[in-house]
Amino acid sequence: MGLTGLQGLVLLLLWSQTDAEVGILHAVGDGTPPPTKDYCITYNSSWTTLATTVSSATYYELINLSIIWLCSASELPATSVKDKAVVVQNGNCSILDKAVIAQDKGAKLLLIAKKNGLPIPNENRSSYKDLTIPIAFIRYKDVMEINQTVGNHIKVGLYSPPLPLLNYSMLIIFLISVFTVALGGYWSGLSELADLRPSSPSSSEREGRKQNDDNVTFTPLTVILFVVICCVMLLLLYFFYKWLVYVIICVFCLASAMSLFNCLSALIRKIPFGNCRVFCCNRGFEVRLIFLAAFCIAVSLTWAVFRNEERWIWILQDILGIAFCLNFIKTLRMPNFKACVILLGLLLLYDVFFVFITPFLTKNGESIMIEVAAGPSGKSEKLPVVIRVPRLDYSAMQLCELSFSLLGFGDIIVPGLLVAYCRRFDVRTSSSCIYFISCTIAYAVGMVLTFVVLTVMRMGQPALLYLVPCTLLTSSVIAWRRKEMKKFWNGGGYEIMEHTDNTINEENAITAGDQETQ
């Protein structure tokens, strides 16, 4: 139950950051061609309106006065600041008082150098009605770097490009999720075919059957227990995040390494050569699988060591996440459609409650689900149980802080269990993949619907709110149209057939033993 609890921690979150009041300072130096570089700024959109393109921004010569506070006009040097952009240090007085002094001396732009963080300028401006100069925060380290990077004679302009309507990271997440659900369901069907096949004396067949014996079947009672565990673990993470996050990281490393091994070993066993063995403690081990295990452990440990390197580690996390979801969908079996309805229905309620209802119950007004999945503010460690893809467009957000679209593993695994059941039902009833294909298409439609609502609402969405109705209704309609609803609901005699197969095998074994005795 440990792995099932893990995938339920961050169910059903697709998070896209909304437009923050962030912009870009475009610095241009002397030279042919002139050196340029962009820096992150924050501003108050009710105070300042920035251009939307770099070409439409107004440029001013930059004067670096970050060694002064500018709390009085006497601090200004003898050199004129008229028609220039001025950088001063944050603190000692209101930024609006600094802006008044700078404006009175003829400056056209005021930049406040901040050493820790970039807040949004937000002070009471009611008594500063004549103040018109643009004000923005910039990182102090960027001010120190700008001369070394761009040069001495620098002109700067401010602009804030709007975020494009289409976020291409969503397309990547869509492809990952649909691919994983379809492949996991297909793999589960292959496992079902292997169970129905007569016994084979070959070692590879025995290995495959041994893996199939590790499959776990959910019952309605187990489903309810599983949802309760998900709720408890989510609440524990919300209140004890700074300790439990490391437990989840350790569990993810172990589970993802095992999952990656199971996925790759299934492919390697199809190769007819290179299966030499070494023997230890009266057991034989394939050498290629030993090397594969070492490789999977190395990949998992690499992620653990570099997990906070956001620029590239998301690729490794997504690979491990895909393997984890595939292995989970293949391993965990739903016995019938009734169990699928109970599981998806309860998790839908769980998801909606923790995303939409909990903001009314928490002190800060934040959703428990979103806060746990994205990580509480100020916490560098993030939960690894999500597929992460950074925004692929160039924007102020990407310059200030790499922003990601996230999809919880549960958004893949939970509907994937229904898709896998549909595939196994196709195998049991020889129905030509109609249930499997229809449910997979319904999942894809649900994901598209999620993205559309996300784009329109500009806030995190519980994906199961759209995935569950699409997949359950589609499966039900197909079963009703084919007049197989009763069989589909009860599992098509799945448990009876499995019990019968086991009984026949046992009877065959007894008969064979009697014949040998004779």
Side-chain angles (χ1 to χ4, degrees):
M1 186 63 69
L3 288 180
T4 58
L6 175 63
Q7 68 89 21
L9 292 175
V10 189
L11 286 173
L12 333 174
L13 172 69
L14 185 60
W15 169 256
S16 177
Q17 295 188 27
T18 56
D19 294 300
E21 293 180 303
V22 294
I24 297 174
L25 181 142
H26 185 68
V28 183
D30 289 336
T32 306
T36 64
K37 189 165 183 181
D38 292 337
Y39 297 93
C40 174
I41 60 155
T42 56
Y43 69 102
N44 190 320
S45 58
S46 63
W47 297 1
T48 305
T49 301
L50 298 186
T52 57
T53 63
V54 64
S55 58
S56 60
T58 304
Y59 290 83
Y60 306 101
E61 183 182 345
L62 180 67
I63 294 183
N64 186 353
L65 301 178
S66 57
I67 59 173
I68 68 172
W69 305 103
L70 195 56
C71 292
S72 67
S74 61
E75 293 183 65
L76 287 173
T79 55
S80 174
V81 297
K82 186 177 180 180
D83 297 328
K84 293 181 173 63
V86 181
V87 183
V88 298
Q89 193 172 160
N90 179 62
N92 271 20
C93 61
S94 167
I95 61 173
L96 296 176
D97 292 335
K98 301 174 190 287
V100 168
I101 298 172
Q103 181 173 290
D104 290 343
K105 293 299 181 178
K108 295 296 184 181
L109 173 63
L110 178 65
L111 298 171
I112 311 295
K114 191 82 165 55
K115 292 185 177 180
N116 298 315
L118 283 179
I120 304 297
N122 190 18
E123 294 185 10
N124 187 358
R125 200 175 174 179
S126 58
S127 58
Y128 296 85
K129 296 181 180 179
D130 297 329
L131 188 61
T132 59
I133 185 173
I135 306 169
F137 279 108
I138 187 172
R139 295 187 180 100
Y140 182 81
K141 66 181 182 66
D142 291 341
V143 175
M144 296 295 100
E145 178 197 291
I146 195 167
N147 288 108
Q148 301 174 0
T149 305
V150 182
N152 294 321
H153 302 286
I154 305 168
K155 290 188 176 181
V156 297
L158 305 183
Y159 74 105
S160 182
L163 287 174
L165 184 62
L166 179 61
N167 182 356
Y168 292 101
S169 64
M170 293 183 185
L171 177 60
I172 296 178
I173 282 185
F174 172 80
L175 295 175
I176 289 175
S177 59
V178 175
F179 165 80
T180 306
V181 164
L183 184 58
Y186 181 76
W187 192 13
S188 182
L190 292 180
S191 175
E192 189 76 5
L193 282 171
D195 286 346
L196 296 175
R197 223 176 267 134
S199 300
S200 170
S202 66
S203 60
S204 60
E205 189 74 18
R206 286 196 301 270
E207 289 288 340
R209 288 185 177 275
K210 184 178 179 181
Q211 283 191 333
N212 292 341
D213 291 340
D214 295 334
N215 293 335
V216 179
T217 302
F218 260 4
T219 64
L221 180 61
T222 313
V223 167
I224 296 174
L225 180 61
F226 168 73
V227 176
V228 171
I229 291 175
C230 290
C231 295
V232 172
M233 293 193 71
L234 185 64
L235 291 174
L236 288 175
L237 270 170
Y238 180 73
F239 290 107
F240 306 103
Y241 185 92
K242 64 179 180 180
W243 296 291
L244 291 181
V245 65
Y246 294 104
V247 176
I248 301 302
I249 288 173
C250 293
V251 174
F252 175 75
C253 289
L254 178 62
S256 61
M258 294 173 59
S259 299
L260 186 62
F261 176 82
N262 289 338
C263 293
L264 296 180
S265 63
L267 296 176
I268 288 180
R269 286 193 175 98
K270 300 295 182 182
I271 302 175
F273 52 85
N275 54 354
C276 57
R277 292 172 172 265
V278 294
F279 291 89
C280 179
C281 302
N282 296 325
R283 295 189 62 185
F285 302 92
E286 289 190 30
V287 174
R288 58 184 181 178
L289 295 183
I290 295 175
F291 282 107
L292 177 62
F295 170 78
C296 295
I297 294 172
V299 171
S300 181
L301 291 178
T302 300
W303 175 85
V305 173
F306 297 100
R307 63 185 180 276
N308 293 319
E309 295 288 337
E310 291 192 338
R311 294 291 170 180
W312 60 271
I313 200 63
W314 62 271
I315 300 175
L316 202 57
Q317 178 173 321
D318 289 353
I319 292 173
L320 292 172
I322 291 170
F324 177 81
C325 293
L326 282 174
N327 188 62
F328 207 99
I329 293 172
K330 181 260 179 184
T331 302
L332 187 61
R333 294 185 174 189
M334 305 305 293
N336 48 46
F337 188 57
K338 177 173 66 176
C340 293
V341 171
I342 295 174
L343 176 65
L344 271 67
L346 288 178
L347 287 177
L348 172 60
L349 296 176
Y350 157 87
D351 190 34
V352 171
F353 175 80
F354 281 105
V355 173
F356 288 141
I357 306 301
T358 53
F360 299 102
L361 306 177
T362 56
K363 292 182 179 180
N364 58 2
E366 291 290 335
S367 160
I368 288 180
M369 185 77 75
I370 290 177
E371 189 160 338
V372 169
S377 57
K379 302 294 183 182
S380 59
E381 295 291 356
K382 307 295 182 184
L383 285 176
V385 285
V386 291
I387 299 295
R388 308 169 67 214
V389 179
R391 293 191 66 101
L392 302 180
D393 52 80
Y394 184 75
S395 64
M397 265 188 191
Q398 290 298 89
L399 184 64
C400 294
E401 183 178 1
L402 196 62
S403 59
F404 289 85
S405 293
L406 308 180
L407 184 71
F409 286 176
D411 293 334
I412 299 173
I413 292 174
V414 174
L417 295 176
L418 174 58
V419 173
Y421 170 71
C422 289
R423 176 59 184 142
R424 293 198 312 276
F425 186 81
D426 285 328
V427 170
R428 286 280 180 175
T429 58
S430 303
S431 49
S432 303
C433 298
I434 182 66
Y435 288 93
F436 170 66
I437 294 175
S438 300
C439 196
T440 302
I441 293 174
Y443 177 83
V445 171
M447 286 300 299
V448 171
L449 184 59
T450 305
F451 294 144
V452 170
V453 176
L454 177 67
T455 303
V456 173
M457 300 294 292
R458 291 286 181 179
M459 63 179 292
Q461 293 295 316
L464 279 194
L465 182 60
Y466 313 99
L467 296 174
V468 168
C470 286
T471 52
L472 286 182
L473 288 176
T474 300
S475 303
S476 301
V477 169
I478 296 297
W480 176 74
R481 291 286 296 175
R482 293 173 59 87
K483 296 180 172 53
E484 295 176 336
M485 176 55 79
K486 184 176 181 180
K487 186 187 298 184
F488 190 62
W489 178 262
N490 294 319
Y494 179 86
E495 298 91 341
I496 297 174
M497 293 179 68
E498 187 177 74
H499 176 72
T500 303
D501 290 344
N502 292 336
T503 303
I504 292 174
N505 289 336
E506 290 175 1
E507 291 177 353
N508 291 338
I510 293 172
T511 303
D514 293 341
Q515 290 176 352
E516 288 179 1
T517 303
Q518 294 174 0

